[in-house]
Amino acid sequence: MIDALFDKKLSDFLTADDFNRLRQFVPTTRDEFHKHMQTVYNLKLETDFPLIVHIEPTNCCNQTCAMCQHPDMKREKLHIAPELARKAIDECVREKKVWFLHFFFFGEPFLNRQTLEYMRYAREQGIKNISLTTNFSTIKEAEIKELVALGTESVVVSFEGLNRERYRQIRGTDSYNRVVENLEYLLACRKQSPAGKPWVSLTYVRTSESDEEIAAFQREWADRVNGIHISPQFEYLGRSALARTHGETNANQILNRSTQGRLPCRQLWLRIAVLSNGEIVPCSQNMDGELSLGNLRDMSIAEAWTGAKMADLRAQHLNNRYRPDNVCARCIDWDWSGKVDQRPRITPKT
């Protein structure tokens, strides 16, 4: 029945039962998850729990990337309190509707040496899909082995790695060789895993590289990892370091950044993040938590997801009318979420 709903056309009639089945649907495969995620957004289905929950192990970082606004962070740098991490995990276990429990937000997760402990706890409690994003420069071999042994579903490595010098220029540390060695060790460990996990993908934020340089990077890694995501540069609510130094952000002409006719942000229907200080936010650009829906110390993730603040935020997006005090009003990255790699370039208006 669910497959039939996924395959319906935009012009097909959906009954109340159809909508309710989609709201309650729990994916069982990666492909099913991606299809369901897009369906939820397209129909603006208000589910009772997010499909993706981020837990931020730490907001500390060991790199100073040219395109990142992390140095401007106003939040106190700290590791998440163990009781908060476990509270978030326990709720995701009870709800049984989270597809990805993702251990990352702003910061390098392995600077908190308890990150793997939290991931292990989540798996032991029954979370099927745990994942994380990392620059992979501080992880140890024993930790890589445990990532694989845990059955981690997905490891996303942020890696602007055309070569050692280019890496140093962009990411601010001379860690290129270490990251390559760690990646090769991860891929070797995965070969020994009966489950063939984790899914390994690389994310590369385009700065000033040419198309030829980007293509060379893709050729280098295409046959070794599951995916390579070449990301446009984001403006991050006016705080992008690259925007300050270059005068504009490089969206590679694939992102719509107009204010007229902008669409509601996908994130408001798909994901939520628990920051290291316990604040709960619905936006991956919201580094300092100005869009906080409340604190996990005082409420649940479900209460934040279905509460009045979130409903009001969605309404502003649906109507494209933002109050001046809402940081979304000045966001130009609203079109980023979703598949961008194969988008056609935008034709400039004349």
Side-chain angles (χ1 to χ4, degrees):
M1 180 61 186
I2 290 298
D3 285 341
L5 284 175
F6 282 150
D7 292 336
K8 284 199 172 187
K9 300 176 182 178
L10 288 176
S11 58
D12 288 340
F13 181 83
L14 293 180
T15 67
D17 284 344
D18 290 337
F19 277 97
N20 287 328
R21 273 191 286 269
L22 285 169
R23 283 194 184 97
Q24 300 303 318
F25 178 64
V26 179
T28 57
T29 67
R30 178 181 286 267
D31 288 344
E32 212 170 54
F33 163 71
H34 285 294
K35 189 179 288 188
H36 181 55
M37 186 169 62
Q38 194 58 51
T39 300
V40 168
Y41 172 72
N42 286 347
L43 297 177
K44 307 297 183 294
L45 292 174
E46 295 195 5
T47 58
D48 54 10
F49 207 76
L51 296 176
I52 306 169
V53 173
H54 293 247
I55 296 176
E56 182 181 68
T58 183
N59 61 336
C60 302
C61 190
N62 63 316
Q63 297 191 325
T64 54
C65 300
M67 63 286 188
C68 185
Q69 79 282 22
H70 188 276
D72 294 337
M73 183 181 288
K74 297 172 185 173
R75 276 194 287 143
E76 179 186 2
K77 308 295 194 304
L78 47 80
H79 298 341
I80 193 169
E83 63 270 18
L84 284 179
R86 286 188 171 83
K87 180 179 179 182
I89 293 168
D90 288 343
E91 184 177 357
C92 291
V93 171
R94 289 194 305 272
E95 292 293 336
K96 303 183 186 304
K97 294 177 182 175
V98 174
W99 174 261
F100 271 125
L101 183 54
H102 196 70
F103 289 85
F104 170 77
F105 193 64
F106 274 96
E108 169 48 44
F110 289 110
L111 292 181
N112 183 348
R113 290 301 169 188
Q114 289 186 281
T115 294
L116 267 174
E117 180 182 325
Y118 299 143
M119 295 176 73
R120 187 186 313 114
Y121 177 74
R123 287 289 286 157
E124 290 172 350
Q125 297 305 304
I127 296 292
K128 181 181 178 182
N129 297 317
I130 55 173
S131 61
L132 83 165
T133 298
T134 169
N135 61 41
F136 229 41
S137 67
T138 67
I139 193 170
K140 301 173 183 177
E141 282 195 356
E143 294 171 322
I144 293 174
K145 289 179 70 174
E146 183 161 7
L147 270 181
V148 176
L150 283 174
T152 303
E153 175 67 21
S154 178
V155 174
V156 181
V157 180
S158 301
F159 184 40
E160 284 72 25
L162 290 168
N163 53 56
R164 181 179 176 183
E165 179 58 24
R166 196 72 173 107
Y167 182 99
R168 186 192 63 77
Q169 291 172 354
I170 296 174
R171 302 197 72 89
T173 63
D174 190 13
S175 305
Y176 176 81
N177 290 341
R178 186 182 308 133
V179 174
V180 171
E181 290 170 3
N182 286 339
L183 268 169
E184 289 174 344
Y185 188 67
L186 172 64
L187 296 172
C189 289
R190 186 179 67 174
K191 284 184 179 180
Q192 305 303 316
S193 169
K197 293 181 179 181
W199 175 282
V200 179
S201 61
L202 308 180
T203 58
Y204 190 116
V205 178
R206 181 188 288 267
T207 54
S208 59
E209 299 88 334
S210 67
D211 289 341
E212 289 75 18
E213 288 175 304
I214 296 294
F217 175 83
Q218 292 173 308
R219 286 193 300 272
E220 173 72 19
W221 289 98
D223 295 333
R224 304 165 70 185
V225 298
N226 297 99
I228 302 173
H229 182 75
I230 306 300
S231 172
Q233 170 62 42
F234 304 127
E235 200 255 2
Y236 287 108
L237 301 173
R239 290 180 290 194
S240 166
L242 195 70
R244 289 198 302 271
T245 56
H246 289 67
E248 61 180 11
T249 50
N250 179 5
N252 200 33
Q253 294 180 285
I254 63 172
L255 294 188
N256 186 333
R257 286 183 152 161
S258 67
T259 55
Q260 288 186 333
R262 62 179 278 185
L263 300 177
C265 179
R266 284 173 172 81
Q267 300 186 72
L268 300 181
W269 282 266
L270 302 176
R271 71 181 73 219
I272 211 165
V274 178
L275 306 189
S276 56
N277 60 9
E279 297 298 318
I280 304 173
V281 300
C283 171
S284 66
Q285 317 290 68
N286 195 211
M287 177 175 67
D288 285 318
E290 301 97 325
L291 276 177
S292 176
L293 304 169
N295 196 288
L296 188 62
R297 290 183 174 87
D298 309 313
M299 69 191 312
S300 68
I301 295 171
E303 287 170 337
W305 184 249
T306 61
K309 284 187 177 180
M310 190 63 156
D312 178 63
L313 190 57
R314 287 175 178 146
Q316 291 182 61
H317 277 253
L318 286 167
N319 292 291
N320 197 15
R321 294 181 179 178
Y322 303 91
R323 288 194 296 274
D325 62 344
N326 183 354
V327 296
C328 299
R330 66 175 189 270
C331 177
I332 64 170
D333 292 330
W334 55 269
D335 191 34
W336 81 269
S337 186
K339 187 172 180 59
V340 299
D341 298 82
Q342 304 302 322
R343 286 191 188 183
R345 298 197 176 193
I346 295 171
T347 304
K349 293 181 179 179
T350 57

